[in-house]
Amino acid sequence: MFEYATPPPSTLLRVRLHRDLESFSMLENYIYGLHLKTIRSSAMKWFLLFVVALGLGLAAASTSSSYNFYRLPSAVRPQEYHLQILTHLDNPEELRFAGTVKILVEVLQNTNNITLHSKNLTIDESQITLRQIRGDEKKDNCVSSTELNSAHDFYVLNTCQELLAGNVYELSLPFAADLNKQLEGYYRSSYKDSETSKTRWLSITQFEPASARAAFPCFDEPGYKAPFVVTLGFNKRYTGLSNMPVKETKPHESLADYIWVEFEKSVPMSTYLVAYSVNDFTNKPSTLPNSPLFRTWARPNAIDQCDYAAEFGPKVLQYYEQFFGIKFPLPKIDQIAIPDFSAGAMENWGLVTYREIALLFSPNHTSLADKQRLANVVAHELAHQWFGNLVTMKWWTDLWLNEGFATYIASLGVENINPEWRSLEQDSLSNLLAIFRKDALESSHPISRPIEMVSEISESFDQISYQKGSSVLRMMHMFLGEESFRAGLQSYLQMYSYKNAEQDNLWESLTQAAHKFSALPKSYDIKSIMDSWTLQTGYPVINVTRDYAGKSAKLSQERYLLNTQISRAHRGGCWWVPLSYTTQGEQDFNNTAPKAWMECGKTGESLPKTIQDLPGNDQWVIFNTQLSTLYKVNYDSHNWKLLIGTLTEGDFERIHVINRAQLIDDALYLAWTGEQDYEIAMRLIGYLQREREYLPWKSALENLRRVSRIVRQTPEFEFFKRYMKKLVTPIYMDLNGLNDTFSGIQQQDQILLKTMIANWACQYQVGDCVPQALQYYRNWRSEAQPDETNPVPLNLRGTIYCTSIRHGSDSDWEFLWARYKNSNVAAEKRTILTALGCSREVWILQRYLEMTYDPNQAIRKQDSMWAFQAIAFNEVGSLLAKKYFMDNVNFLYKFYYPLTKDMGRLLTPISEQVITQSDFNDFRNFVLMSRDSLKGLEQAIQQSLETMLTNVQWKNRNLHQMSRSIQSLL
């Protein structure tokens, strides 16, 4: 049972209320001031009222501490930590830890107190000691009193004597707490022993962004780097792991069978990167020559799933050493698969932690898509060892310097090691498709944004920091070129190694490299260009109007928004846009360097741009070669017609595959917002009957899925189904249906294409897809040992399981649920968990919802979101899931607290399927009435309401127009 405790109102600061009132007031003034004259719908007005009401609903009260700023004071800083922790795992009823931290504190300014962080720790204040160890006139000192500031987790120690600048003091603090169940701080996890069926317990840390303070008192901000000496005490039948190698092991002085393990002193690092674990895992050592000690750890009954990560990890680490020009600075690196883990993975320096699905690979159970995701996650975390660990952002405002870089560099690493996957193209397009959607919401946010509360830090771990951050770095890589980009990065890393930096420091290093290698004119600098992408919300649409007689084109830019009630006059924004393009005569898609720039004036206005020397009216032009930059392009109608002609009747494959995906995405988005006609968009994607590449189909089907979730709730779905069947049938037949022909496929992305097409074919009952799927499932059910023998093709299992549950019986569902409980492979469990939500039986889906949140069932808390989303995306389950969320919002908040971000992800399938004004009004009113159970979800709520609103707009504006376009093609 999830244990939840609401902090008493007296522990919250007045400054919290002041800050929230201020921020919500600013948001209200911004939206009303800029847009209210253009917004006439009651839906949008209520959306604004929700934002204000949610802000005013935040609790506030006083605290005993007089220091109310959200950042630590700068009078002292840590020089070194000595952390000793004794962990008790023997008694499941008393899983706990106790320890002492000794911090060497350097005084920078005279002060009468030391302020650091502590959260939910028991501290015996009678045992706190403070003594001067360096400096003039050594005097006895002590702590006279303490104060708490629970809003910011400050623990203030008032000193008996003034601390003098230049002196160094040793502060010793004892602490104790239970190993919590909340998947953050220092917490418990468990697994079932496959031989004895007994529960085995382990302890593990998850400190990012601000939970080191829940494990030991510390200066828990990224700018306070210091070396750590960690000593772990535990029963000797366990293993202790930390960031560094073991230095010494000795018996515990009083506890029989307990030992102390001291680890070597670490390099200077931020508190959020400290990690340690006590467990009974085994490891798979890597054997790559010239590699540091590299081990992959897992529970003993999953160690056979570590081979791939143990092979891949050292390879990508060596690639980064070469790419960054800096050797990995630690003597060892461990990566460990944790059964209960909230994030996908965590880059702790030298001890990288993962969900099992992100590290463990079984050749007989893990699909190619899951294998690629695993490689990406490992590459992402190991890229952090440089970007994030070696050089760390000064404050969470620049979180994207960590996450955006790790996302992009990981794509380069995976491409280098597995070029046959063509994953760099896949990752680049996937990132852009995600951002084109998320960042077209007015409620999006800049890549780099002010952070003043811990809850805001967690909200920043989103698609903007990761995918948009990665996409603008890719853009910069392409306009700078390889030499300048790499030289700038290497200079930046060398200059700020073991230090903290902000984005302006990176811009300076890259500008110097760009000018040195003549990648940019001397009058240009990276800061001016990139600030327009990192400090500004959204992205532009470039309108290209060609003068065919004059062989030129006029270009203009404006922010692209899905909310069409915001007039163009109020969209604003200006971006420095590198303009790469090619023509039908040239068809040079390999040159991604800019031929021109769209520039911004000193006051932020967009400067007019005209491109000369273009062809006449018999040739098209395509801007944004290989989709190198984050913008959409809208052409005049004649250029669109020329493009459609080539795609439908010409040599379409001479257009780069990413640009074919781009044309599809741009046409469908512009049709969504009414800036282009659906007739043009549907004629363009009609060429897909000729297309046999993965990326264009991915682009089209992601857009059409969004439309289908609206259309399937209307009578027009009859025509949409027929259209989809017609569109998908030729490629389904060419790919040989559901037949297991993967072994003959040479290009790996063709496996992904077949997997994706099979999913749509069975959904729309194309050809023999459903009967074939049901036959595979029957064959599996007839196996004497179905957990050992599975005849279902590995890469089609998600589709075949879902189809069989959708068209199957109660016993089919029970059979798959039994396989879920018996499975030992995380990737297989995720596939099954999602398929179980495909049922069309209301009672089964309702039971499944309740099982998802029943602690006595087999679904771990970290996986509950996947089960809920599977039900909610199901056309039968969508209303059930929405009702369950609304009826049980208090329970769900307690279930997920403090990791409310996972609760926010439940809103995605709900928001994408609200399409009427009345349903929008109902959900808006629910939010207003439930704000106490939605704290920490402000960003998710705003974006969900805006998504619902844009769905309502689309249905009212486009449904019949799109239906007519489809009918004309049938």
Side-chain angles (χ1 to χ4, degrees), residues 145-330:
S145 63
T146 63
E147 302 174 55
L148 296 175
N149 178 329
S150 298
H152 298 299
D153 303 323
F154 290 154
Y155 188 49
V156 183
L157 301 104
N158 299 310
T159 60
C160 300
Q161 305 291 332
E162 184 178 36
L163 306 179
L164 301 179
N167 290 347
V168 176
Y169 298 81
E170 181 190 83
L171 174 65
S172 179
L173 294 153
F175 57 89
D178 291 335
L179 289 166
N180 71 70
K181 305 175 183 177
Q182 298 171 341
L183 309 188
E184 68 171 12
Y186 192 30
Y187 71 92
R188 67 186 70 182
S189 180
S190 65
Y191 69 95
K192 285 285 177 66
D193 187 310
S194 56
E195 295 182 1
T196 66
S197 296
K198 290 183 177 180
T199 298
R200 301 293 187 188
W201 292 97
L202 61 136
S203 65
I204 188 63
T205 56
Q206 170 58 33
F207 290 164
E208 190 179 32
S211 292
R213 64 193 66 178
F216 60 96
C218 57
F219 297 84
D220 200 13
E221 291 184 4
Y224 288 96
K225 288 190 172 185
F228 283 79
V229 176
V230 175
T231 302
L232 298 180
F234 49 87
N235 191 300
K236 64 183 181 182
R237 69 172 179 268
Y238 293 102
T239 298
L241 297 173
S242 188
N243 305 82
M244 299 296 291
V246 172
K247 177 183 178 182
E248 180 184 11
T249 301
K250 59 185 179 182
H252 191 279
E253 59 275 10
S254 60
L255 292 176
D257 297 325
Y258 271 66
I259 56 174
W260 288 112
V261 175
E262 180 183 340
F263 298 88
E264 293 178 10
K265 182 193 292 189
S266 77
V267 296
M269 61 183 178
S270 304
T271 50
Y272 78 87
L273 293 170
V274 176
Y276 40 88
S277 172
V278 176
N279 59 72
D280 63 353
F281 286 7
T282 53
N283 74 82
K284 170 79 176 180
S286 298
T287 57
L288 190 68
N290 304 316
S291 174
L293 175 64
F294 201 116
R295 300 175 297 187
T296 303
W297 297 78
R299 50 191 166 84
N301 54 350
I303 194 64
D304 60 334
Q305 300 174 39
C306 291
D307 292 356
Y308 178 68
E311 174 192 348
F312 178 83
K315 289 180 180 178
V316 79
L317 197 75
Q318 286 190 357
Y319 168 77
Y320 292 149
E321 289 181 327
Q322 177 266 327
F323 185 88
F324 294 127
I326 298 174
K327 296 289 287 184
F328 178 69
L330 303 188

Side-chain angles (χ1 to χ4, degrees), residues 633-644 667 676 684:
V633 190
N634 195 5
Y635 303 101
D636 56 75
S637 59
H638 184 68
N639 198 77
W640 278 116
K641 289 176 182 176
L642 291 170
L643 288 166
I644 291 170
Q676 191 54 263
L684 187 147

